[in-house]
Amino acid sequence: MSLLKKMVTAIRGGANEVGEAIVDSQSLRILDQEIRDANEALRKSRTDLTNVMAQRKLAGDKLDAKQKKLDELEGYASMALEKGDESLAIEIAERIAELEGDVASEREVVENYDASIASLKKSIKQAENTLVRLKQQVDSVKATASVQRAQAAVASRHSGQDASLRTALDSLERIKGKQAERAAQMEAAETVAREENGDDLDAKLRAAGLKAENGSANAVLERLKKKREAGGAE
């Protein structure tokens, strides 16, 4: 596969991914619209059923009228035969034969209407049941989505709190570290200052007992003893 074809394929794949992401993010909205479309189609089916039933009534009335006329002609034909008026009976019979064809045609129309009505009613009932189940499932999906959004919000807040606590602890540790560093620097500065002034060496000599404490009672007493001994020797 050439580089150009690979690039085109990659672009198409990316477009499909974007399209799927859009569909996924809008899935509930799309589903709601599909349900509205199904409801509208169901409403039109009910309207169609009403129209077919009205047409069937008209066709049924027409069939009933022709059947009534046919029954009436058959009665007249019987009466003509009873009177021996065969020519009139034949004329009536011709009219009956013509009318029987019309009645058969009308009956076929009515039967077709009845079949259409039965089929429409069955389809509408199935659609109604399907819509009821679909709406129940959609309500369940929406409830689940709502719970998941709430859980995600709680998890997000908890994560944010953890992050804030970790940040605060890190800040506290940095402050403690800086304070310890500053204390060490001050202690080191004091040590350097003592060394420069000789204080550190004096402190070590006094600690070793090699140098008396200035201003101490023992030092004063020792000095007085030495002075007294020096005076007696003279």
Side-chain angles (χ1 to χ4, degrees), residues 5 55 78 117 133 144 165 192-193 195 209 217 221:
K5 288 184 178 179
Q55 293 171 3
S78 298
I117 289 170
R133 290 194 299 270
T144 300
L165 289 174
V192 171
E195 288 177 352
L221 182 61

Side-chain angles (χ1 to χ4, degrees), residues 100-111:
E100 283 178 342
D102 292 341
V103 168
S105 297
E106 293 295 336
R107 183 173 288 109
E108 184 177 358
V109 170
V110 170
E111 289 173 353

